[in-house]
Amino acid sequence: MLSRTPEDVAAHAAAAPDLTVLDAGVADCFACPRLVTWREEVAATKRAAFRDWTYWGRPIPGFGPADAPIVILGLAPAAHGGNRTGRIFTGDRSGDVLFAALHRAGLANQPTSVSADDGLELRHTRVFSAVRCAPPDNKPLPVERDTCAPWMRREISLLRPTLRVVVALGAFAWAAWWPALTSVYGVQPPVPRPAFGHGVRVSVPGAPELLGCYHVSQQNTFTGRLTPAMLDDVFDSAKRLAGLA
């Protein structure tokens, strides 16, 4: 089920009956020429530290149980993280921070995430990104965001029976949530639209709670803008809102 155009993406995403089929469709997407070129170039040239790896070099499906009440929404895979390992937030320092926090919160069975076969399991939580391919400079174009959006919308729709909380990692994920809110839940965002901020909570009747969290990028974690304690507070809130604490 290759997707080579935005129309293919929309049709294949809408037709996916479950997350297994959706994940397979995501991995076979070629709809954004710039992203396809970049992800494959990175996979071929590699980083010196990973020269012995066979890079995944494809879009990255979501990760976590199909009945998760908590979703963590990111921006896009890292060129030498998810694009290398084939699993979101796996094999890079952002993932080190994220999964350590999820482990402290009891939402992951181990604190590390180094490869797709390392035994990591998530509890009550599914992680995916607004854009499924690693973008140059970690900056997807608006057209790429919009082309990829049907995958995210369908994933949210399939999780809808159990989904209670969305944690948006960064302003890009925060902005990507609002069109999905309208598409999946049929409700409009508040007016004016709430600005992103760490710890900001937005409640919209009939939809999951939305929590803002600074992205777990090195720019935030190395500078102290985002600390482990701050992450712990967000996930404690998410668990409470999801009825897990």
Side-chain angles (χ1 to χ4, degrees):
M1 190 176 66
L2 297 181
S3 296
R4 298 193 180 277
T5 67
E7 292 76 20
D8 287 345
V9 173
H12 294 161
D18 54 41
L19 287 174
T20 299
V21 174
L22 184 77
D23 290 348
V26 167
D28 280 336
C29 188
F30 294 81
C32 296
R34 188 183 78 114
L35 298 186
V36 171
T37 298
W38 174 250
R39 79 193 193 203
E40 293 180 353
E41 177 183 334
V42 170
T45 58
K46 305 182 181 181
R47 179 175 283 172
F50 306 124
R51 61 183 176 273
D52 295 329
W53 277 77
T54 299
Y55 275 50
W56 171 255
R58 298 165 67 185
I60 312 300
F63 174 59
D67 58 352
I70 299 172
V71 153
I72 299 172
L73 180 61
L75 191 167
H80 300 282
N83 190 58
R84 172 172 59 90
T85 63
R87 192 171 69 195
I88 190 68
F89 281 113
T90 295
D92 60 28
R93 292 189 177 182
S94 295
D96 292 344
V97 172
L98 176 63
F99 290 114
L102 290 175
H103 182 254
R104 292 194 301 273
L107 299 174
N109 70 323
Q110 62 189 44
T112 57
S113 178
V114 297
S115 67
D117 60 356
D118 62 8
L120 176 68
E121 296 178 3
L122 298 184
R123 301 166 179 148
H124 313 296
T125 306
R126 188 166 172 90
V127 183
F128 51 89
S129 55
V131 174
R132 304 303 171 100
C133 290
D137 300 320
N138 206 34
K139 294 179 180 178
L141 300 176
V143 67
E144 294 161 350
R145 174 202 63 202
D146 295 344
T147 297
C148 206
W151 298 126
M152 184 181 76
R153 292 198 297 263
R154 184 57 179 158
E155 192 150 3
I156 294 167
S157 180
L158 291 168
L159 291 164
R160 182 175 179 174
T162 58
L163 182 56
R164 299 293 177 264
V165 184
V166 174
V167 178
L169 296 179
F172 189 98
W174 182 267
W177 168 249
W178 304 116
L181 171 72
T182 300
S183 176
V184 176
Y185 292 91
V187 296
Q188 296 297 320
V191 179
R193 191 168 297 181
F196 170 76
H198 184 82
V200 173
R201 172 185 170 187
V202 179
S203 300
V204 176
E209 300 286 328
L210 177 65
L211 293 176
C213 179
Y214 290 146
H215 197 279
V216 288
S217 65
Q218 294 181 54
Q219 293 94 322
N220 289 333
T221 57
F222 280 18
T223 61
R225 187 178 190 227
L226 178 64
T227 66
M230 292 167 67
L231 268 177
D232 291 347
D233 287 344
V234 168
F235 291 133
D236 284 348
S237 295
K239 286 171 60 181
R240 185 176 65 255
L241 293 169
L244 301 174

